[in-house]
Amino acid sequence: MSDVVETRSIVTEAEFEQPVDIVWRAITDSEWLAVWFFPNDIQPLDGHRFTIWGRPIERWDGEFQCQVKTAIAPRELSFSWKGGHEELKGFGHYIDTVVTWTLTPTESGGTHFRFVHDGFSLDATSDAVFDVMNKGSQSVLRTLTRRLPDLILHGA
């Protein structure tokens, strides 16, 4: 018998004028992703291990260790996201979560983007990191909205 651990998720959605293949590149091309998200060494290959580099905070080196769980071009990218430090609050607090980005074509030829960040503990010690990551998910999608035309124009 296994214990079921309840967790909470962050769900953020956005609409883009650009077609799915362009948004797919923005989430899977390391250079494009670094412009609106974080520096990284992602490759959209099942099982690929990569790092997302954030800002070091106190005892934490700023690195998140990730592994692609699913890469279904150009529709879905899912990866584990682990890192931080148990003693820190907010962004630097330790997490062991899964991110799933889903792209769906819209009738107008654009893209519906769905961001799900799953696996945050219900424990009160995780409240600060959950709040920071929730606000951050909204912020990075606003940044992607602003930067996507520049990425297309300049090819990153």
Side-chain angles (χ1 to χ4, degrees), residues 103-116:
L103 309 179
T104 307
T106 63
E107 288 183 21
S108 65
T111 304
H112 178 82
F113 184 101
R114 181 175 167 90
F115 174 106
V116 178

Side-chain angles (χ1 to χ4, degrees), residues 7-131:
T7 60
R8 53 189 158 172
S9 302
I10 296 167
V11 179
T12 308
E13 299 182 74
E15 299 285 329
F16 298 103
E17 296 175 359
Q18 294 78 14
V20 168
D21 61 324
I22 295 294
V23 180
W24 177 256
R25 182 171 179 195
I27 68 172
T28 61
D29 180 289
S30 179
E31 289 181 27
W32 280 39
L33 184 60
V35 168
W36 65 273
F37 195 57
F38 287 104
N40 66 89
D41 58 348
I42 195 170
Q43 292 181 29
L45 304 169
D46 289 352
H48 174 70
R49 293 181 185 276
F50 66 100
T51 303
I52 293 173
W53 290 280
R55 180 176 49 91
I57 302 170
E58 298 177 24
R59 296 181 181 171
W60 175 52
D61 61 7
E63 294 184 5
F64 289 106
Q65 300 307 312
C66 305
Q67 184 172 12
V68 174
K69 297 171 81 54
T70 307
I72 306 170
R75 301 285 192 253
E76 181 179 309
L77 180 69
S78 176
F79 55 91
S80 61
W81 180 325
K82 299 177 183 181
H85 195 282
E86 289 295 341
E87 294 178 16
L88 299 176
K89 295 180 181 177
F91 182 69
H93 186 73
Y94 184 78
I95 61 173
D96 184 351
T97 57
V98 174
V99 169
T100 303
W101 291 333
T102 306
L103 309 179
T104 307
T106 63
E107 288 183 21
S108 65
T111 304
H112 178 82
F113 184 101
R114 181 175 167 90
F115 174 106
V116 178
H117 197 160
D118 189 33
F120 291 93
S121 170
L122 295 175
D123 188 286
T125 62
S126 294
D127 287 349
V129 71
F130 180 81
D131 290 343

